[in-house]
């Protein structure tokens, strides 16, 4: 009996040891496979990823829209790298079928640059790859593990070599940074958790909103505020899949919010909605952010909890109480009763900012608000007290402290100037609306007709805003015929799916329908 116990114990220990060794080795192998991903994602807000397969390059050669987005200089670099390495069978066998990562990172002097990262196949040796490359190109050592590689008479790059990982960039700074960045990070973990669910995808885009401020500081000419403040200190990640098209650039996937205090958390676990409030926007709308939920009473409960977490609940309660004491108007019998399921903030091409809230009975709301309002004219009123709307709708209405407003066709429209409201009314009454423009109709037909949050930019109407807020090199690329000028719409659409958002990212170019010669000659 004693022998049986000893044998059984020994067998158990042996199995446990073998399992430990197996999984330890598996973990080491997996960590080794992740080195390129770790290097590519650290400090990067945007990473483009694809498999080094000739089929991918054949497809992308026909995607002129991507080439326009990247610009001539960046496209020239990628083309030369493909010619020098990918098209060379001897060199390409070291990295065949491996994932290629192109990270967009801030560089010196308020510029952005690419860091290209790839990991050698496990069966190949990094030294042999270097020897092969040295026999085909002019290489000189810059410092430890960093080399200068001359691709042709006009193009040189820096190359970092470390632990089977190769990094390439025209920026020495990015290569040096990459050489000390082979560490696990939350962005890497997010990608690994989500990538295993995706098969047969041509390419991915990974977005780390934590790093977006560093990227934006290289692009914008001022502080991160106003309409882009949403990207400041937002602990969120997105993984999006590229859908090939010659007519548009479309990615879809999901966005996850990691910060429990994020305002957008109020729209999680809420059914996506069919929205109509965007149909009232003027045709010179430059951008908008639209929000939708299924039931305002439930959503208001979420907002109240959010205000408690962010220590603004007491301020909102004070606003509501003071109005009740001073004007004998109980706002809790107005907004919670007559608010529908959607609202929007938007900006015109003239930079003026407005907000709109959908109501179930606009005429009733107009009457109930009379005692807390001052007359500007028959159509336009002014709230006598501040922070009414932010108390009931939160962060998007912070910019409208004590606004002018009008109520029209069951919509409450607000702005900080009466003249802005008048401009809106003139456009609305004369049917000069965004929904009437073919460019807008074409864009919204490319994405889902239901959502919870929708960011929209009309690039043509935003031209003056871009000119005043974006560094000149980026503005020139936006307005260049060879750049982004022909793209008319950017849209980032979020639809709640439990604790994440199904996401569509669209960069659209409206192609005017061709008129047959037989008709145009009539």
């Amino acid at each position: 009996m004693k022998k049986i116990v000893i044998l059984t114990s020994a067998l158990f220990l042996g199995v446990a040891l073998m399992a430990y060794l197996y999984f330890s080795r598996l973990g080491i192998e997996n960590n080794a496979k992740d080195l390129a991903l770790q290097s590519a994602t650290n400090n990067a807000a945007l990473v483009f990823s694809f498999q080094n397969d000739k089929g991918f390059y054949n497809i992308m050669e026909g995607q002129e829209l991507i080439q326009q987005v990247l610009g001539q200089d960046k496209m020239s670099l990628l083309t030369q790298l493909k010619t020098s390495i990918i098209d060379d069978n001897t060199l390409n066998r070291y990295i065949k079928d491996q994932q290629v990562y192109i990270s967009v990172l801030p560089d010196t002097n308020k510029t952005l640059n690419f860091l290209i990262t790839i990991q050698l196949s496990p069966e190949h040796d990094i030294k042999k790859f270097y020897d092969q490359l040295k026999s085909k190109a002019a290489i000189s050592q810059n410092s430890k593990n960093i080399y200068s590689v001359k691709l042709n008479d006009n193009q040189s790059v820096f190359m970092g070599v470390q632990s089977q990982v190769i990094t390439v960039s025209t920026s020495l700074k990015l290569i040096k940074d990459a050489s000390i960045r082979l560490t696990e990070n939350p962005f890497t973990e997010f990608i690994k958790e989500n990538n295993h669910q995706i098969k047969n995808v041509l390419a991915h885009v990974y977005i780390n909103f934590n790093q977006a401020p560093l990227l934006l500081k290289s692009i914008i000419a001022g502080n991160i505020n106003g309409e882009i403040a949403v990207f400041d200190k937002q602990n969120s990640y997105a993984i999006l899949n590229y859908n090939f098209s010659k007519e548009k650039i479309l990615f879809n996937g999901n966005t996850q919010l990691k910060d429990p205090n994020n305002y957008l958390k109020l729209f999680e676990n809420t059914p996506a909605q069919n929205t109509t409030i965007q149909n009232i926007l003027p045709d010179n709308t430059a951008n908008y952010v639209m929000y939708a939920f299924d039931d305002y009473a439930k959503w208001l409960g979420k907002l109240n909890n959010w205000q408690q977490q962010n220590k603004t609940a007491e301020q909102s309660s004070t606003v509501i109480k003071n109005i009740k004491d001073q004007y004998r108007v109980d706002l809790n019998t107005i907004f919670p009763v007559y608010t529908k399921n959607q609202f929007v903030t938007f900006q015109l091409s003239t930079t003026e900012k407005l907000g709109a809230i959908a109501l179930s009975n606009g005429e009733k709301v107009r009457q109930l608000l009379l005692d807390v309002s001052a007359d500007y004219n028959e159509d336009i009123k002014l709230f006598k007290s501040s922070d009414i709307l932010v108390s009931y709708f939160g962060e998007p209405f912070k910019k409208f402290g004590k606004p002018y407003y009008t109520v029209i066709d069951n919509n409450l429209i607000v702005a900080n100037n009466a003249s802005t409201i008048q401009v809106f009314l003139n456009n609305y009454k004369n049917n000069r609306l965004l929904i009437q423009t073919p460019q807008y109709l074409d864009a919204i037909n490319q994405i889902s007709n239901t959502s919870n949050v929708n960011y929209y930019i009309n690039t043509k109407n935003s031209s003056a805003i871009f000119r005043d807020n974006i560094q000149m090199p980026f503005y020139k690329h936006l307005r260049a015929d060879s750049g982004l000028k022909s793209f008319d719409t950017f849209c980032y659409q979020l639809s709640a799916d439990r604790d994440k958002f199904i996401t569509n990212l669209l960069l659209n170019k409206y192609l005017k329908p061709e008129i047959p010669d037989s008709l145009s000659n009539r």
Side-chain angles (χ1 to χ4, degrees), residues 277-285 344 346 348 350 352-357 380 405-409 411-415 417-434:
I277 199 166
Q278 69 273 22
N279 297 344
I280 70 170
L281 303 185
D283 59 4
N284 68 330
T285 297
V344 63
F346 57 103
L348 306 182
T350 51
E352 294 151 306
K353 297 175 183 180
L354 301 95
I357 300 162
I380 302 172
Y405 75 89
T406 191
V407 179
I408 187 166
D409 291 346
N411 293 288
L412 174 69
I413 315 299
V414 301
N417 296 294
S419 58
T420 306
I421 298 287
Q422 192 60 62
V423 167
F424 171 87
L425 289 172
N426 292 341
N427 281 304
Y428 185 74
K429 291 174 180 177
N430 288 285
N431 206 34
R432 294 192 293 265
L433 303 175
L434 190 64

Side-chain angles (χ1 to χ4, degrees), residues 68-72 216 219-221 457-490 507-509:
Q68 284 182 254
V69 172
L70 295 179
Q72 293 178 340
L216 289 171
I219 299 173
I220 65 173
I457 297 174
N458 182 303
T459 57
K460 181 180 178 182
N461 290 343
S462 298
S463 179
I465 299 170
F466 288 151
R467 186 179 61 246
D468 293 339
N469 292 281
I470 293 179
Q471 299 284 351
M472 189 52 65
F474 297 100
Y475 178 73
K476 286 180 178 178
H477 182 55
L478 276 169
R479 304 310 302 156
D481 291 330
S482 59
L484 297 173
K485 185 178 180 179
S486 59
F487 291 93
D488 49 71
T489 302
F490 170 83
L507 190 57
N508 198 58
K509 177 191 292 191

Side-chain angles (χ1 to χ4, degrees), residues 186-347:
F187 191 25
T188 312
E189 286 300 307
F190 169 78
I191 293 169
K192 286 162 61 178
E193 288 170 7
N194 288 271
N195 252 0
H196 69 276
Q197 304 170 7
I198 303 164
K199 305 293 181 185
N200 302 319
V201 173
L202 186 65
H204 304 292
V205 162
Y206 309 123
I207 304 173
N208 181 355
F209 289 100
N210 293 289
Q211 297 296 335
L214 288 175
L215 203 67
L216 289 171
K217 284 176 182 176
S218 297
I219 299 173
I220 65 173
N223 297 321
I224 302 173
N225 51 31
E227 314 315 307
I228 60 171
V230 67
F231 298 113
D232 193 19
K233 300 175 184 177
Q234 185 184 121
N235 186 9
S236 307
Y237 303 119
I239 179 169
L240 306 173
N241 313 316
Y242 175 62
N243 293 270
F244 174 77
S245 169
K246 290 188 177 182
E247 291 79 36
K248 59 183 178 290
I249 296 175
L250 177 63
F251 293 87
N252 54 47
N254 70 76
T255 300
Q256 289 189 18
L257 311 175
K258 301 295 185 179
D259 183 0
N261 292 324
N262 192 317
Y263 177 79
L264 297 184
K265 278 278 188 181
L266 301 180
F267 300 89
E268 281 187 346
N269 299 293
T270 301
Q273 301 294 302
N274 234 318
T275 56
T276 56
I277 199 166
Q278 69 273 22
N279 297 344
I280 70 170
L281 303 185
D283 59 4
N284 68 330
T285 297
N287 59 70
Y288 69 70
V289 186
M290 184 170 57
Y291 306 86
F293 37 81
D294 57 338
D295 180 87
Y296 178 72
K298 289 192 295 186
W299 184 84
L300 182 59
K302 289 184 179 180
L303 176 65
N304 291 338
N305 291 334
W306 181 82
Q307 289 170 330
Q308 291 280 0
Q309 292 170 0
N310 289 275
K311 297 180 172 53
T312 59
E314 186 175 342
Q315 179 184 343
S316 295
S317 297
T318 301
V319 168
I320 296 166
K321 181 180 182 302
N322 287 345
I323 288 173
K324 189 174 183 178
D325 293 342
Q326 187 172 358
Y327 302 108
R328 299 186 182 279
V329 174
D330 185 359
L331 294 178
N332 287 328
T333 64
I334 304 176
F335 292 108
V337 176
Y338 296 104
T339 296
K340 287 183 72 176
N341 68 333
Q342 53 200 277
F343 59 88
V344 63
T345 60
F346 57 103
Q347 187 174 22

Side-chain angles (χ1 to χ4, degrees), residues 112-131:
L112 298 180
N113 214 328
F114 285 166
L115 176 73
I116 301 166
T117 309
I118 193 166
Q119 193 159 332
L120 260 64
S121 304
E123 66 272 16
H124 290 298
D125 181 77
I126 193 95
K127 187 177 184 305
K128 289 182 179 179
F129 173 80
Y130 169 76
D131 291 339

